[in-house]
């Protein structure tokens, strides 16, 4: 049965996350909508920073919550729900990027680029730093978002992205250099 | 007013809210997906996908066997014949199943044009390993695309 989005949002503010998660694990779709309303902006924000494309970010946000519905039984409460959700989101976004490389990018390992300045201006919701982050080349952007924004260690990032720890560190350094250069020239 | 230095800008920005609202309400698509694919039904829907993935993996392995073990013969012809057979098997397997997107055949045509370009290059250098690898990957992309657009989960969004 459907419920009004505003009502779902209102209920969200009243129901603790643990309680919502428990209800969703029992198959409660209303509770799941509340959980979605509570986390949609955070998940979409992470997707947009990682993917540098509003269209991809929307696709992946939907994919995250569809997978969440099917996998929420696996959440045993060892970590905070939001931490677990961010981990699921990051992995799905990275996997999505891999799948959506075109054949030429896959064959010759061309790195994906970031948004151009014109697209950044048309993309709503980005703050000052975000506007620079989405312009970064793909690998530098992924490492910067996962390390600086999401707080992952370089060892974890290396594992997630299938690169050496040293490469993760150098991509982070590269990202900071580019960000500073763009910031100073603004 | 002076612009803050980069370190200060970075620190302050990272402390700000990380929320960004999507441009549209995404809930409807999610709701459709989870309403139409209850958990118990998902178990059986994995089998066609697993079969497809297994076929793709087998195709990839066999293609490399062709490349590695039969250098004296016309590798491109052998590989093409093998992949074409795999592709037709998948297309027959998914014949009765609706595809996620209406333009997947256009995407397939794009990959097929890449296939033709590589084959044309191979005409003048038939045993070029890099070109053969590219050809194998383009074939693999075609099989992945056919599997992907017929994956049951995505049809609900």
């Amino acid at each position: 049965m459907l419920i009004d989005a505003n009502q779902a949002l209102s209920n969200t503010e009243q129901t603790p996350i643990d309680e919502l998660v428990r209800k969703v694990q029992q198959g409660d779709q209303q509770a799941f909508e509340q959980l979605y309303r509570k986390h949609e902006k955070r998940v979409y924000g992470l997707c947009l920073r990682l993917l540098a494309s509003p269209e991809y970010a929307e696709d992946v946000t939907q994919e995250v919550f569809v997978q969440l519905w099917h996998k929420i039984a696996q959440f045993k409460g060892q970590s905070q729900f939001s931490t677990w959700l961010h981990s699921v989101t990051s992995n799905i976004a990275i996997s999505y990027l891999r799948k959506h490389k075109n054949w030429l990018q896959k064959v010759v390992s061309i790195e994906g680029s970031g948004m151009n300045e014109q697209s950044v201006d048309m993309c709503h919701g980005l703050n000052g730093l975000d506007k620079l982050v989405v312009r970064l080349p793909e690998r530098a952007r992924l490492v910067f978002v996962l390390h600086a924004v999401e707080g992952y260690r370089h060892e974890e990032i290396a594992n997630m992205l299938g690169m050496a720890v040293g490469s993760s560190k150098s991509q982070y350094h590269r990202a900071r250099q580019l960000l500073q250069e763009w910031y100073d020239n603004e | 007013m002076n612009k803050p230095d980069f370190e200060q800008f970075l620190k302050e920005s990272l402390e700000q809210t990380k929320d960004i609202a999507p441009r549209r309400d995404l809930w409807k698509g999610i709701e459709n997906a989870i309403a139409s694919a209850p958990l118990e039904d998902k178990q059986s829907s994995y089998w066609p996908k697993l079969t497809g993935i297994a076929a793709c993996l087998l195709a990839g392995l066999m293609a490399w066997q062709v490349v590695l073990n039969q250098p004296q013969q016309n590798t491109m012809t052998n590989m093409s014949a093998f992949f074409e057979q795999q592709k037709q098997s998948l297309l027959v397997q998914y014949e009765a199943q609706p595809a996620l997107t209406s333009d997947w055949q256009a995407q397939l045509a794009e990959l097929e044009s890449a296939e033709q370009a590589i084959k044309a290059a191979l005409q003048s250098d038939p045993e070029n390993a890099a070109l053969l690898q590219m050809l194998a990957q383009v074939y693999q992309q075609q099989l992945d695309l056919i599997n992907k657009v017929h994956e049951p989960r995505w049809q609900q969004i």
Side-chain angles (χ1 to χ4, degrees):
Chain A
M1 183 178 150
L2 302 180
I3 57 170
D4 179 75
N6 290 331
Q7 187 193 336
L9 191 58
S10 167
N11 291 344
T12 304
E13 287 157 5
Q14 295 162 9
T15 314
I17 293 295
D18 292 349
E19 177 69 8
L20 279 178
V21 170
R22 192 185 57 75
K23 286 183 175 176
V24 176
Q25 286 176 327
Q26 291 169 351
D28 184 336
Q29 276 198 37
Q30 287 189 5
F32 188 55
E33 181 174 3
Q34 291 177 49
L35 202 62
Y36 166 77
R37 300 284 172 204
K38 182 87 177 163
H39 293 93
E40 61 170 330
K41 292 177 185 169
R42 188 62 56 94
V43 168
Y44 177 78
L46 173 54
C47 291
L48 185 56
R49 290 182 189 95
L50 287 172
L51 301 165
S53 156
E55 291 78 20
Y56 282 7
E58 287 171 0
D59 278 358
V60 173
T61 300
Q62 287 190 313
E63 173 70 0
V64 166
F65 282 96
V66 172
Q67 288 207 21
L68 182 65
W69 172 254
H70 292 293
K71 291 182 176 174
I72 199 160
Q74 295 172 16
F75 176 68
K76 304 295 184 194
Q78 293 98 329
S79 60
Q80 279 196 356
F81 175 75
S82 59
T83 307
W84 184 71
L85 180 58
H86 277 225
S87 168
V88 169
T89 303
S90 302
N91 284 313
I92 292 175
I94 292 164
S95 169
Y96 187 91
L97 269 183
R98 285 194 187 120
K99 284 181 191 166
H100 282 74
K101 282 185 176 178
N102 65 36
W103 70 272
L104 189 63
Q105 285 176 313
K106 284 187 177 176
V107 169
V108 293
S109 297
I110 296 173
E111 183 179 23
S113 57
M115 276 190 198
N116 60 42
E117 285 182 69
Q118 198 178 6
S119 302
V120 172
D121 289 338
M122 289 191 298
C123 187
H124 83 106
L126 299 175
N127 73 19
L129 178 62
D130 289 334
K131 285 183 177 177
L132 301 178
V133 167
V134 294
R135 287 169 56 193
L136 288 168
E138 185 179 294
R139 281 193 285 267
R141 186 177 69 244
L142 291 173
V143 170
F144 182 84
V145 172
L146 292 172
H147 184 68
V149 183
E150 294 298 311
Y152 285 96
R153 290 180 291 113
H154 282 295
E155 289 77 9
E156 295 171 305
I157 295 168
N159 191 36
M160 291 165 84
L161 298 179
M163 60 169 59
V165 174
S167 300
S168 177
K169 289 178 180 173
S170 67
Q171 289 293 346
Y172 180 68
H173 182 66
R174 177 189 178 205
R176 280 186 59 112
Q177 277 187 323
L178 283 168
L179 291 172
Q180 179 157 14
E181 185 184 318
W182 293 335
Y183 176 74
D184 290 343
N185 291 334
E186 269 184 342
Chain B
M1 190 175 154
N2 285 340
K3 190 163 90 168
D5 71 20
F6 177 70
E7 293 302 328
Q8 190 184 345
F9 162 74
L10 199 58
K11 184 173 178 292
E12 287 173 0
S13 299
L14 290 171
E15 285 168 358
Q16 285 174 8
T17 177
K18 294 166 182 168
D19 292 358
I20 302 176
R23 300 173 301 179
R24 61 188 173 92
D25 188 2
L26 306 174
W27 172 249
K28 196 69 190 166
I30 297 165
E31 184 182 46
N32 287 342
I34 64 175
S36 311
L39 279 174
E40 52 274 19
D41 291 341
K42 291 293 289 180
Q43 302 304 319
S44 59
S45 71
Y46 281 126
W47 286 107
K49 189 184 170 195
L50 282 176
T51 311
I53 290 169
C56 285
L57 286 174
L58 184 65
L61 283 172
M62 294 292 283
W64 278 112
Q65 286 298 310
V66 169
V67 173
L68 295 174
N69 297 335
Q70 301 183 359
Q72 309 309 320
Q73 298 177 23
N74 188 330
T75 313
M76 182 187 80
T77 306
N78 290 337
M79 192 193 296
S80 297
F82 182 77
F83 268 102
E84 196 54 42
Q85 188 187 356
Q86 294 301 315
K87 191 163 99 179
Q88 290 309 320
S89 300
L90 277 183
L91 290 172
V92 169
Q93 182 185 332
Y94 289 129
E95 198 173 24
Q97 199 170 317
L100 162 68
T101 58
S102 55
D103 70 335
W104 72 276
Q105 283 166 322
Q107 294 175 46
L108 187 62
E110 193 182 326
L111 288 169
E112 285 169 347
S113 75
E115 172 195 332
Q116 294 308 321
I118 298 167
K119 278 182 175 175
L122 278 164
Q123 293 296 337
S124 55
D125 189 3
E127 297 302 330
N128 184 313
L131 287 172
L132 288 169
Q133 187 182 357
M134 287 172 80
L135 183 62
Q137 293 201 29
V138 170
Y139 278 130
Q140 189 69 53
Q141 288 270 297
Q142 293 182 31
L143 300 182
D144 289 345
L145 173 67
I146 295 167
N147 270 319
K148 174 81 181 166
V149 297
H150 292 92
E151 191 174 327
R153 171 164 42 80
W154 280 97
Q155 290 173 28
Q156 313 305 330
I157 297 181

